[in-house]
Amino acid sequence: MDVKKGIAKFTSHQKLVIAMLALTQFTVILDFMVISPLGDILMKNLDMTTANFGFAVSAYAFSAGISGLLAAGFADKFDRKKLLIFFYTGFILGTFCCAMANSYLTLVAARIVTGLFGGVIGSVSLAIVTDLFILEQRGRVMGFIQMAFATSQILGIPLGLYFANNWGWHSSFLMIVVLAIAILALIIIKLEPVNKHLEIKSDKNPFVHLLHTLSNKRYQTGFIAIAILSVGGFMLQPFGTAYLVNNIKISHEELPIIFFFTGLAVLFIMPMVGKLSDRMSKLKLFTIGSLISIVMILIYTNLPPIPVWQIIAINMILFMGIMSRMVPATTLNTAVPETQDRGAYMAITSSLQQIAGGIAAVCAGYIVHQETKTSPLLNYDVLGYVISIITLLSILLILRVDILINPKTEIPTPTPVKA
């Protein structure tokens, strides 16, 4: 491993792997996010109620969570490159079905298919990262890969609306399909086999392997920590646009500007957070990010009507805190499983994230309510308090993960000196 100034450097193939995984995540996240700005168009064109649209969105999350659990037992039985190609191909077909949907039921069915395949891609990517990169590199790797979130936020809403307004909502999904096919070809041609884990022989059948991974006390610590970590974001995000429009009095025309600049800020923040994660204590960085998040969430959920530039500034700082949590937490989590269990562990972790997120969104719906379609959201401040408490709890859970992978060295008993 090439090392300079104490930092492990990347090989040329590792850099290519980072780019391919980041592009893959970009399309998967974009597919998930692009449906939100299309809500009004979809409800009118497919005669959907708001409840119907909400189910169409959540169908992906629950489908992705279930598929991750079903795939967990098989995740360590195959070359990870082959798994990535298989699930990414299924994701492309599901997205194409979304583009071809012509009714509410066919759209929901297409979203379920997309989630079944898309929900496993993230865990396969994490397993590849864990196999190909040492722990001292993973913070930077996760920083670059999670830039896909920021990039999809910058492009997702403006591009989705632009394509939908000019060529119909179907074209938004077709755009993702074309891009994903090009990325798939790159993976097939350039990604080397990722099969070192297959050298560790295991005679467990997939179901037994899944149960073994789920019942491992060490792994359960990581499962709980990552699931709880996902709750806060899923509670805040679904009602973000409604809150900005109805409570802060932001116009629909100004929303893309807010998302664009927030995503742009995250795009610059992610590499810096990744480098910090490799240079300092990941637990310390996570704690700092959590405290920033709590302060900004409490401010954000109690705002009066303010100018757009102030909302952008608040969002930038808020996402700085959120991303300062996600990168070190994800990096620590990759160090929990043994080599032979990494695929299953990552698949289960990804599933629990999706399922926890779906449950969180439902719970948020019971906390927040709106008297009419144009009236302010009520109890949004209560939602902020709940998320803050969950964030504090996540610090304790990540502390347990940190202790798990970095146990304190016992002080050796001094050897008596002979006279």
Side-chain angles (χ1 to χ4, degrees):
M1 183 63 61
D2 193 10
V3 178
K4 183 179 179 181
K5 295 183 180 180
I7 301 177
K9 298 182 71 176
F10 299 121
T11 65
S12 57
H13 181 67
Q14 284 180 320
K15 291 177 182 177
L16 182 60
V17 170
I18 294 171
M20 287 187 288
L21 294 181
L23 288 169
T24 302
Q25 286 300 104
F26 167 73
T27 52
V28 173
I29 297 171
L30 181 57
D31 176 88
F32 179 75
M33 291 187 67
V34 78
I35 196 170
S36 294
L38 297 178
D40 186 62
I41 298 173
L42 288 171
M43 285 189 284
K44 286 176 177 156
N45 280 267
L46 301 182
D47 194 25
M48 297 163 59
T49 65
T50 53
N52 290 152
F53 179 69
F55 185 75
V57 174
S58 62
Y60 179 101
F62 286 112
S63 171
I66 293 170
S67 71
L69 285 176
L70 294 176
F74 298 90
D76 295 300
K77 303 290 184 183
F78 301 95
D79 179 344
R80 303 205 200 283
K81 174 183 176 178
K82 293 179 180 177
L83 275 180
L84 182 60
I85 291 171
F86 173 77
F87 283 104
Y88 199 47
T89 301
F91 163 79
I92 293 172
L93 291 173
T95 305
F96 180 75
C97 289
C98 292
M100 296 296 103
N102 56 9
S103 68
Y104 164 64
L105 290 178
T106 54
L107 179 64
V108 169
R111 295 309 291 166
I112 291 173
V113 172
T114 309
L116 284 173
F117 290 95
V120 182
I121 293 171
S123 61
V124 175
S125 298
L126 281 177
I128 291 173
V129 169
T130 310
D131 283 350
L132 300 184
F133 299 88
I134 61 174
L135 186 60
E136 288 74 22
Q137 295 176 315
R138 291 178 202 159
R140 283 167 287 159
V141 177
M142 294 311 304
F144 280 109
I145 291 177
Q146 292 196 25
M147 282 169 62
F149 169 80
T151 310
S152 63
Q153 186 167 353
I154 293 170
L155 297 177
I157 292 178
L159 271 183
L161 288 173
Y162 178 79
F163 272 75
N165 290 333
N166 286 276
W167 300 290
W169 64 268
H170 303 84
S171 65
S172 300
F173 291 104
L174 288 175
M175 169 195 69
I176 299 172
V177 170
V178 172
L179 179 60
I181 289 174
I183 297 169
L184 177 63
L186 183 65
I187 293 171
I188 293 172
I189 297 169
K190 292 293 185 179
L191 183 62
E192 296 175 0
V194 185
N195 52 19
K196 281 287 183 182
H197 61 286
L198 298 178
E199 296 175 3
I200 303 172
K201 300 298 181 183
S202 174
D203 55 359
K204 298 175 188 171
N205 67 48
F207 183 69
V208 172
H209 186 42
L210 172 62
L211 290 180
H212 164 81
T213 308
L214 282 170
S215 61
N216 188 307
K217 297 293 183 183
R218 173 186 171 92
Y219 297 169
Q220 287 172 2
T221 301
F223 293 151
I224 295 171
I226 296 301
I228 294 298
L229 185 64
S230 307
V231 170
F234 275 91
M235 290 188 84
L236 191 65
Q237 184 180 1
F239 300 97
T241 301
Y243 175 69
L244 289 173
V245 172
N246 297 291
N247 293 57
I248 313 300
K249 308 304 179 185
I250 301 296
S251 69
H252 283 280
E253 290 74 22
E254 293 170 320
L255 287 175
I257 299 172
I258 294 173
F259 285 110
F260 176 84
F261 281 103
T262 302
L264 195 63
V266 174
L267 194 63
F268 286 102
I269 291 166
M270 294 306 297
M272 292 187 289
V273 171
K275 288 181 179 178
L276 281 174
S277 184
D278 286 337
R279 289 174 182 264
M280 64 182 288
S281 163
K282 293 172 178 59
L283 175 63
K284 184 182 294 184
L285 180 60
F286 178 84
T287 303
I288 293 170
S290 296
L291 295 178
I292 293 173
S293 298
I294 290 172
V295 172
M296 298 312 299
I297 285 169
L298 292 177
I299 292 173
Y300 181 79
T301 55
N302 287 276
L303 285 174
I306 59 175
V308 172
W309 71 267
Q310 293 182 19
I311 284 289
I312 292 173
I314 290 171
N315 267 357
M316 285 180 173
I317 301 172
L318 173 59
F319 275 90
M320 183 187 300
I322 291 172
M323 293 304 150
S324 295
R325 300 175 70 229
M326 295 306 297
V327 172
T330 307
T331 305
L332 283 173
N333 190 50
T334 61
V336 173
E338 301 295 334
T339 302
Q340 66 271 22
D341 297 327
R342 280 176 186 162
Y345 179 86
M346 296 304 174
I348 294 170
T349 298
S350 179
S351 298
L352 291 177
Q353 281 183 294
Q354 296 283 356
I355 294 170
I359 294 172
V362 172
C363 291
Y366 282 102
I367 295 173
V368 177
H369 65 275
Q370 190 177 24
E371 292 180 357
T372 68
K373 290 184 178 181
T374 57
S375 61
L377 296 183
L378 301 177
N379 294 336
Y380 203 72
D381 57 335
V382 175
L383 191 65
Y385 301 136
V386 172
I387 295 171
S388 298
I389 293 170
I390 293 171
T391 303
L392 286 173
L393 175 61
S394 71
I395 296 176
L396 297 177
L397 293 170
I398 293 298
L399 171 62
R400 289 186 61 194
V401 174
D402 186 67
I403 293 173
L404 195 67
I405 66 174
N406 298 305
K408 294 178 180 178
T409 305
E410 295 183 5
I411 301 174
T413 305
T415 304
V417 179
K418 294 182 179 179

